Amino acid sequence: MTQPGGPQASLNPPSNSGYTQGHSAAVVASHASRTVENSAAFLLPHLKPIFTIVDLGCGPGTITRGFCSYVPQGKVIGIDAGQSVIEQARSSRSETDYPNLSFQVGDITTRLPFDDQSIDVVYTSQTIYHIPSPVQVMKDAYRVLKPGGLLAMRETDTLIWHPSSPSTEAYCAAIGKAVPPGAQGVGTGRRLHIWAKEAGLDPSKMQVGTGGTCYAAPDLSKWWAGVHIARLQGEVGQEWLEHLKLVRDQSGIDEMIAGLKAWGDDEHAWYAALQGEVICWK
C-alpha cells in the first residue's frame, strides 16, 4: 500500500512504547467495546467521504473499522504498538471487508510515516493517556495534517465507581498509576487542549468538550466487573504485582477482585468515565 502523500514508510519498532496494559483477551475485550458511534460521535459530523483518517493506538480496530463507511472514497489507517492486537484487527473482518482500511504495527511516539500535510484527520482514543510525551505526538500529528485538517482526541479524565468500597478505590488508584513513567493517566482529558496549545495548535481553532461512558446494573455492571476481574486474574494482575509493584502481594489482588465482584452484583452499581474531547483544526 502506498501511504498518502508519498511512498510507503514503516514506523520505527515499538520497543519503547511503554504501554503497560498488555493485550490479553480481557484487555482487548474492553477495547473492543469501543465503536465509532460511542467513541467518535464528536468527530463524525466533520468527516467528508474523501478524507484519509489515521487512528493512533487503534487497538483491535473496532473504532477504526467504523470510520470506513464515513469515508468511502478515502482511506483509514490504524496504528498500534502491539503486534498481536494488530493481527487481531486484521483478521476481524477488516482489511478484507473494507478495501479502504489498513493496519500497521509501530511506535506512534516516533515520527509518523507520512509526508507533511498529507492526512485529513488524526484521531486518538485512550492513547494520549498512556504517552509520556503528548506534546511531541501532537506536534507530529500537526505536521502530517493538511491545511484545514483535524486532530481529534478522546481521552479519559475521571473514573467513578458507585457504590464505592476500599477495594474499588484501591483498584481505581492502581489504574491511575499503571501508566509509563511520565504519562498523565487519570486526568488526561482535562489537559488535552493545554498540551495542544504547547504543541503550537491555535486555541481559536479548537473545539473543547466532554463525553462519557456509563455501565449500570444489572447486565452492564456484571459484564464490566467481569472484564476487570479477568484483567486482574491474568496479565494485568501479574504486571501490577511483579513489575509495577502496585499491590503489596497476591492478597491485594484478591481483595480487588472480591470488591469488583461485589460491585458488579450490586443492584445500584453504576460506573462512569468522563472523557475529554478535543478537535483542533490546522
Side-chain angles (χ1 to χ4, degrees), residues 43-109:
L43 171 60
L44 297 181
H46 305 287
L47 298 181
K48 296 181 180 179
I50 61 171
F51 274 3
T52 292
I53 301 173
V54 174
D55 183 0
L56 301 183
C58 65
T62 51
I63 300 174
T64 325
R65 287 196 299 274
F67 281 126
C68 291
S69 62
Y70 290 89
V71 292
Q73 287 86 53
K75 294 180 181 179
V76 182
I77 304 164
I79 298 173
D80 199 280
Q83 176 72 48
S84 63
V85 80
I86 286 293
E87 290 175 357
Q88 179 176 332
R90 286 172 172 162
S91 65
S92 300
R93 299 185 303 104
S94 295
E95 290 178 322
T96 55
D97 288 0
Y98 302 96
N100 60 340
L101 175 64
S102 64
F103 292 99
Q104 297 184 38
V105 177
D107 182 359
I108 66 169
T109 64

Side-chain angles (χ1 to χ4, degrees), residues 21 129 159 161 170-179 185-186 228 240 246:
Q21 298 300 310
Y129 181 100
L159 306 178
W161 300 75
Y171 181 65
C172 195
I175 288 175
K177 296 175 182 177
V179 294
V186 173
H228 289 274
W240 287 12
L246 296 178

Side-chain angles (χ1 to χ4, degrees), residues 17 39 42 56 108 113 115 124 154 160 169 173 187 203 218 221 223 264 270:
S17 62
S39 298
F42 71 110
L56 301 183
I108 66 169
D115 287 346
T124 77
R154 187 177 198 261
I160 303 170
E169 290 177 3
S221 63
W223 171 77
W270 184 87

Side-chain angles (χ1 to χ4, degrees), residues 4 12 75 94 124 202 241 261 275:
N12 292 333
K75 294 180 181 179
S94 295
T124 77
D202 186 345
L241 183 62
K261 185 179 186 305
Q275 312 285 346

Side-chain angles (χ1 to χ4, degrees), residues 24 26 228-240 253 257:
S24 65
H228 289 274
I229 288 170
R231 287 184 175 208
L232 288 174
Q233 290 174 332
E235 180 181 349
V236 170
Q238 183 178 6
E239 179 76 7
W240 287 12
I253 296 287
I257 290 173

Side-chain angles (χ1 to χ4, degrees), residues 3-4 7-11 79 104 111-115 140 143:
Q3 297 290 10
Q8 182 175 3
S10 59
L11 283 167
I79 298 173
Q104 297 184 38
R111 184 179 175 88
L112 296 172
F114 308 109
D115 287 346
D140 202 45
R143 174 186 65 80

Side-chain angles (χ1 to χ4, degrees), residues 17-20 129-132 177-184:
S17 62
Y19 182 63
T20 61
Y129 181 100
H130 299 280
I131 291 177
K177 296 175 182 177
V179 294
Q184 179 65 46

Side-chain angles (χ1 to χ4, degrees), residues 178-265:
V179 294
Q184 179 65 46
V186 173
T188 292
R190 73 191 69 177
R191 292 173 170 83
L192 291 174
H193 66 295
I194 298 172
W195 291 327
K197 292 176 186 176
E198 293 178 15
L201 284 79
D202 186 345
S204 69
K205 296 181 180 179
M206 293 184 193
Q207 173 184 298
V208 180
T210 57
T213 302
C214 183
Y215 298 123
D219 295 336
L220 289 178
S221 63
K222 289 181 182 293
W223 171 77
W224 193 235
V227 166
H228 289 274
I229 288 170
R231 287 184 175 208
L232 288 174
Q233 290 174 332
E235 180 181 349
V236 170
Q238 183 178 6
E239 179 76 7
W240 287 12
L241 183 62
E242 297 179 3
H243 299 109
L244 298 180
K245 308 296 184 183
L246 296 178
V247 290
R248 63 185 182 279
D249 52 34
Q250 182 60 43
S251 66
I253 296 287
D254 294 340
E255 289 170 7
M256 290 181 186
I257 290 173
L260 287 167
K261 185 179 186 305
W263 174 85
D265 291 338

